[in-house]
Amino acid sequence: VPSRASSFVRTERLWDRHVAMARLGATAKGGVCRLALSKEEIPARRLLTQWGRALGCTVASDPIGNLFLTRAGTEPSALPVLSGSHLDSQPTGGRFDGIYGVLAALEAVEAMNAAGLRTPRPIEVVAWTNEEGCRFVPGCMGSLAFRSPERLATLLRAKDPVGLSVAEALAQVRAAEPDIPERPLGKRVAAFVEAHIEQGPLLEANGQVVGIVTGIQGTRRFEITVEGEDAHAGTTPLPARRDALSSAVSMVAALERLFQAGPSDIVRFTVGRFDVWPNAPSVVPGRVFFTIDFRSPDDDLLTRLGDQVASVCDANRKQCAVEIVETIRTPSIAFSGPVPEAIEAACRDLQVPYARIYSGAGHDAQHLFHITPTGMIFVPCEKGISHNERENAKPQDLADGARVLADVLVTLANS
Ligand code: HGY
Ligand code: MN
Ligand code: MN
């Protein structure tokens, strides 16, 4: 159908934009390290801004640093349709996690321009600040603030491992963007659609190209600090030791028994960060910091198991003190309504093989879900590898996902 936006999506152009972005924060092993609000992310924001302006979009950023490229609608007062994901990556991240959703939305806008399509609703391509939650905790920070503006002050105070706050890092980023105006935090939107690689093996294994995401599992994240006492490894007898590492290791072993007690492999329990001080071979560690990332589709399980974290840590602290802080808790959500329906209609029109699929990974969509009709489009990634520098995807799959997204955005922006 000549006037359909999807007909104007260009596989090479979308791929080339991924190649250009992958240079920003490129790692020796072929991945990216582009942490939130880092010096590597500034040029990525700049490149996105340049591409958006070349397509006639106006660019603005909000008080948490979310970046918006707005394609004007014929009815400026109509609520906009948002689509996007994140520019930031994990330290050993891949070239597609997050960035694909931003570039697919940009490609959809370019295709609408080429098709000469105007829509009543404005369309906004969005890059949410700090989705990955590595440098600054919690993750999904930009979409969280957009949904709950009352959280802004607290989120701006979050500090990175060297003590720099979000506010200070954001000030550095915004100082590099004098030409990008600020807009208020949060507003009502008509719908949000996020395209993302699956970060799992199912679509590729089953020969499907698009996953219509049915929901996102719930998450609880904790930070545990174990306080003991630095001591001489050679002279300190066992009864006199307050060994923070020994206690922390007992806690992790006990937590694994708690979380992996269930019959099936449903619960996801990860200790991703484990810092030891002073981290010297001949010093009994006086302090250990570690993180817990706990996920389950079952909210009752999230409650039942998550509520035991404190008692399990306390029962294994031995001669040490322990502090447990829950940093974020997001319930599991189920997508329904106009956005998944529009995705399915577009897949059928375009004859793109699709399946319904549940998301084990967290996304910004889990916050937008609470304020507007929301849905997600997954595309395959090689062997489901992600949060790994070997993350890979096929140009054709990325483009097919962008074709579906383009027609979905036109449908929603006309509704
Ligand atoms: O951890 C997550 O689920 C997301 O990919 N940051
Ligand atoms: Mn992501
Ligand atoms: Mn990720």
Side-chain angles (χ1 to χ4, degrees):
V1 178
S3 68
R4 192 181 279 166
S6 50
S7 308
F8 294 85
V9 167
R10 293 285 167 269
T11 305
E12 285 311 302
R13 178 170 63 201
L14 179 59
W15 181 258
D16 290 347
R17 286 197 169 123
H18 281 84
V19 170
M21 281 288 187
R23 290 195 190 98
L24 306 175
T27 62
K29 291 186 183 173
V32 292
C33 178
R34 194 167 57 228
L35 301 185
L37 301 176
S38 63
K39 65 180 183 342
E40 290 79 12
E41 195 177 48
I42 291 172
R45 290 168 62 99
R46 172 59 51 197
L47 191 51
L48 180 65
T49 298
Q50 285 166 347
W51 284 336
R53 284 181 170 150
L55 298 181
C57 294
T58 53
V59 183
S61 183
D62 69 13
I64 194 81
N66 295 319
L67 197 56
F68 300 89
L69 315 178
T70 300
R71 179 181 200 257
T74 55
E75 289 175 27
S77 62
L79 295 183
V81 174
L82 268 58
S83 182
S85 191
H86 58 94
L87 296 176
D88 68 301
S89 79
Q90 292 287 346
T92 54
R95 299 169 295 144
F96 304 95
D97 177 358
I99 191 71
Y100 170 61
V102 179
L103 295 180
L106 187 77
E107 180 64 28
V109 164
E110 181 143 18
M112 287 174 216
N113 288 358
L117 287 175
R118 300 305 314 170
T119 58
R121 297 187 182 287
I123 290 172
E124 298 188 5
V125 174
V126 55
W128 299 111
T129 298
N130 183 31
E131 188 277 344
E132 297 288 9
C134 168
R135 180 183 179 195
F136 298 108
V137 171
C140 290
M141 188 178 275
S143 50
L144 174 59
F146 187 86
R147 165 208 171 177
S148 308
E150 72 283 358
R151 303 275 300 259
L152 177 67
T154 310
L155 295 171
L156 287 173
R157 282 196 294 270
K159 290 188 185 306
D160 72 3
V162 295
L164 200 75
S165 71
V166 169
E168 290 162 321
L170 190 54
Q172 291 171 353
V173 171
R174 299 290 286 133
E177 306 173 341
D179 58 329
I180 298 178
E182 182 155 313
R183 76 181 214 182
L185 177 59
K187 68 177 187 181
R188 289 179 58 230
V189 302
F192 175 66
V193 196
E194 179 168 6
H196 205 287
I197 53 168
E198 177 195 338
Q199 299 177 299
L202 297 179
L203 292 175
E204 181 187 52
N206 299 327
Q208 286 127 1
V209 173
V210 160
I212 302 177
V213 181
T214 56
I216 300 177
Q217 70 176 336
T219 297
R220 291 183 77 172
R221 294 204 177 106
F222 301 83
E223 291 181 342
I224 316 292
T225 305
V226 184
E227 292 288 347
E229 186 176 19
D230 295 0
H232 195 297
T235 58
T236 314
L238 205 50
R241 290 186 179 210
R242 298 182 59 226
D243 184 336
L245 184 104
S246 172
S247 299
V249 165
S250 302
M251 290 176 197
V252 172
L255 288 166
E256 280 184 334
R257 286 193 295 276
L258 168 70
F259 284 104
Q260 289 157 6
S264 55
D265 180 16
I266 292 288
V267 167
R268 296 280 182 269
F269 167 76
T270 310
V271 173
R273 203 174 138 192
F274 194 94
D275 300 327
V276 181
W277 288 274
N279 214 24
S282 301
V283 180
V284 174
R287 185 151 65 92
V288 167
F289 171 92
F290 68 92
T291 58
I292 291 172
D293 177 318
F294 161 46
R295 312 192 195 194
S296 164
D298 178 344
D299 283 343
D300 293 340
L301 208 55
L302 274 178
T303 302
R304 191 162 57 75
L305 296 185
D307 286 0
Q308 295 179 58
V309 166
S311 55
V312 168
C313 289
D314 196 55
N316 288 273
R317 63 184 176 81
K318 297 189 264 188
Q319 285 72 34
C320 295
V322 63
E323 182 200 46
I324 296 107
V325 176
E326 182 160 15
T327 53
I328 191 139
R329 175 173 188 169
T330 52
S332 56
I333 61 170
F335 295 120
S336 63
V339 180
E341 286 161 10
I343 296 169
E344 180 162 21
C347 287
R348 300 171 82 94
D349 286 352
L350 293 169
Q351 295 174 340
V352 170
Y354 68 93
R356 283 179 173 68
I357 188 166
Y358 191 74
S359 180
H363 300 284
D364 292 301
Q366 71 199 48
H367 288 307
L368 275 295
F369 165 86
H370 294 283
I371 59 169
T372 189
T374 298
M376 290 191 75
I377 294 169
F378 274 177
V379 294
C381 59
E382 196 173 288
K383 299 191 189 67
I385 295 167
S386 186
H387 284 193
N388 180 304
E389 292 161 293
R390 290 188 292 114
E391 183 183 272
N392 197 15
K394 292 191 185 109
Q396 189 59 40
D397 289 343
L398 301 179
D400 286 346
R403 289 188 180 96
V404 170
L405 178 66
D407 288 351
V408 165
L409 294 180
V410 170
T411 300
L412 296 171
N414 278 313
S415 68

